[in-house]
Every structure is written in structure tokens, then in C-alpha cells.
């Protein structure tokens, strides 16, 4: 089980893709990544190491900055044709 170092969420953009690390009640964490097509967050644990990899293009955000970034990105996401 992966443990988050704090009890609060962490917010990143890895190569411009929004990623949030969310602590669980059990003491672990969920790694949630924005799906570019739907605008929804999906679990993708492979992004955990990318958030802390100095060779990656990573930006860390406050929660407010992250929410503003998400709102801006979602304006450009087209819903799939049903």
C-alpha cells in the first residue's frame, strides 16, 4: 500500500496533465489523473512516481490554483458524440 506523507491532498500537473494525490481513510492514497477526453478524474497509480521525478515536467499547485486550472482545461474538452 502506498502511504501519503500528509493527511491533505496534493495537486500537480505532470506534462500539463492534472494529477491529484488524495489520502484515504485507511492511510493510503488514490492517484487521480484527468482524462483528456471526458474531463473526469480516473485512478492511475503510475503517475505517483512521475509527481516526484525531477526529470519530468512537474508543477505543484495549491488546491485553489489546481481547481482554476481544471476549470480552464474543461472549457476546451468536447463531450463525446452519443
Amino acid at each position: 500500500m502506498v502511504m501519503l506523507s500528509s493527511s491533505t491532498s496534493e495537486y500537480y500537473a505532470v506534462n500539463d496533465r492534472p494529477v491529484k494525490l488524495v489520502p484515504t481513510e485507511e492511510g493510503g492514497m488514490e492517484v487521480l489523473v484527468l482524462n483528456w477526453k471526458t474531463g473526469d478524474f480516473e485512478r492511475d497509480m503510475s503517475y505517483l512516481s512521475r509527481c516526484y521525478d525531477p526529470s519530468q515536467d512537474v508543477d505543484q499547485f495549491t488546491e485553489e490554483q489546481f481547481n482554476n486550472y481544471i476549470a480552464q482545461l474543461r472549457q476546451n474538452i468536447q463531450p463525446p458524440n452519443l
Side-chain angles (χ1 to χ4, degrees):
M1 175 183 289
V2 177
M3 303 299 280
L4 190 59
S5 60
S6 71
S7 60
T8 59
S9 297
E10 296 180 18
Y11 305 95
Y12 299 92
V14 178
N15 297 320
D16 296 328
R17 179 171 290 221
V19 179
K20 57 183 172 179
L21 309 181
V22 181
T24 64
E25 290 181 15
E26 299 80 28
M29 85 165 97
E30 290 288 336
V31 178
L32 304 172
V33 179
L34 186 74
N35 179 313
W36 291 122
K37 293 181 182 178
T38 66
D40 295 328
F41 280 91
E42 300 174 352
R43 187 173 195 260
D44 187 341
M45 296 302 286
S46 73
Y47 273 81
L48 177 62
S49 61
R50 297 177 196 183
C51 289
Y52 300 109
D53 184 346
S55 70
Q56 297 286 321
D57 176 18
V58 178
D59 297 304
Q60 186 170 13
F61 297 107
T62 65
E63 183 176 9
E64 181 180 358
Q65 291 169 325
F66 188 78
N67 290 336
N68 290 337
Y69 183 54
I70 297 303
Q72 182 181 34
L73 290 173
R74 284 183 173 154
Q75 290 177 356
N76 298 319
I77 293 174
Q78 300 296 320
N81 296 331
L82 299 177

